[in-house]
Amino acid sequence: NAEQSFAAAAENNPGNDRVQYYHGIVLERLKRNHEARLAFSAVAPDSKFYAQARLHLGFILDEEGERDRARQVVREAIASQKNDADLYHFLASLYEKDLKIDEGIAVLKEGLAAQSVRPAGTEAAVFPRQPAVVGVVIDEQHVQGFGISGAVR
């Protein structure tokens, strides 16, 4: 089974970020959150897997009701990979869940500003999963429940 294979690989290669990340994915899907948290946390900050590991750790933390910590780890992911729209989407949804609409809007604006190449008027290119919502959020400063929860998953 995949989990046993990844567990063996992780045990034999504790410093291998690729193995730790994919082992975390398997554990997350199996709802073995404690073990998945450990695997995702083992991915080094200089790894190409770091941002995605932090994102998945954020999913778990959010699911377990640790929203402040989830926001923190997603911010860490953003710091390492500023051009990943999924990170901004998920972070904004974490604010939305706590009805912190202004903070969520600020995150979406930050995500738009962080994109290195953005053709004029193409929020859809930046946030392809929710283009209409992003446009509304940017235009309306006090939108209640801007509807991006779960946009990443």
Side-chain angles (χ1 to χ4, degrees), residues 30-148:
L30 294 172
K31 298 293 184 191
R32 291 170 51 187
N33 288 352
H34 177 73
E35 294 166 273
R37 286 170 73 151
L38 294 173
F40 291 135
S41 295
V43 176
D46 62 346
S47 170
K48 70 179 185 176
F49 296 97
Y50 181 75
Q52 288 301 305
R54 299 315 273 178
L55 177 63
H56 283 273
L57 179 57
F59 290 155
I60 293 168
L61 291 165
D62 175 42
E63 191 176 290
E64 294 178 348
E66 296 183 49
R67 206 160 290 130
D68 288 337
R69 179 78 176 114
R71 283 191 283 264
Q72 179 185 348
V73 300
V74 176
R75 276 279 176 211
E76 292 166 1
I78 288 170
S80 75
Q81 194 170 334
K82 291 185 176 18
N83 64 348
D84 187 331
D86 285 342
L87 299 174
Y88 294 96
H89 261 147
F90 185 59
L91 182 57
S93 76
L94 292 171
Y95 283 111
E96 176 209 5
K97 289 176 181 181
D98 286 339
L99 299 178
K100 295 180 177 184
I101 305 306
D102 290 337
E103 291 91 336
I105 291 170
V107 167
L108 292 175
K109 287 182 178 181
E110 178 186 343
L112 288 170
Q115 304 307 305
S116 57
V117 177
R118 185 178 81 235
T122 58
E123 287 86 2
V126 179
F127 292 104
R129 295 183 182 163
Q130 296 288 333
V133 172
V134 172
V136 169
V137 171
I138 298 304
D139 293 337
E140 299 291 331
Q141 287 298 304
H142 293 37
V143 175
Q144 291 296 312
F146 43 88
I148 60 172

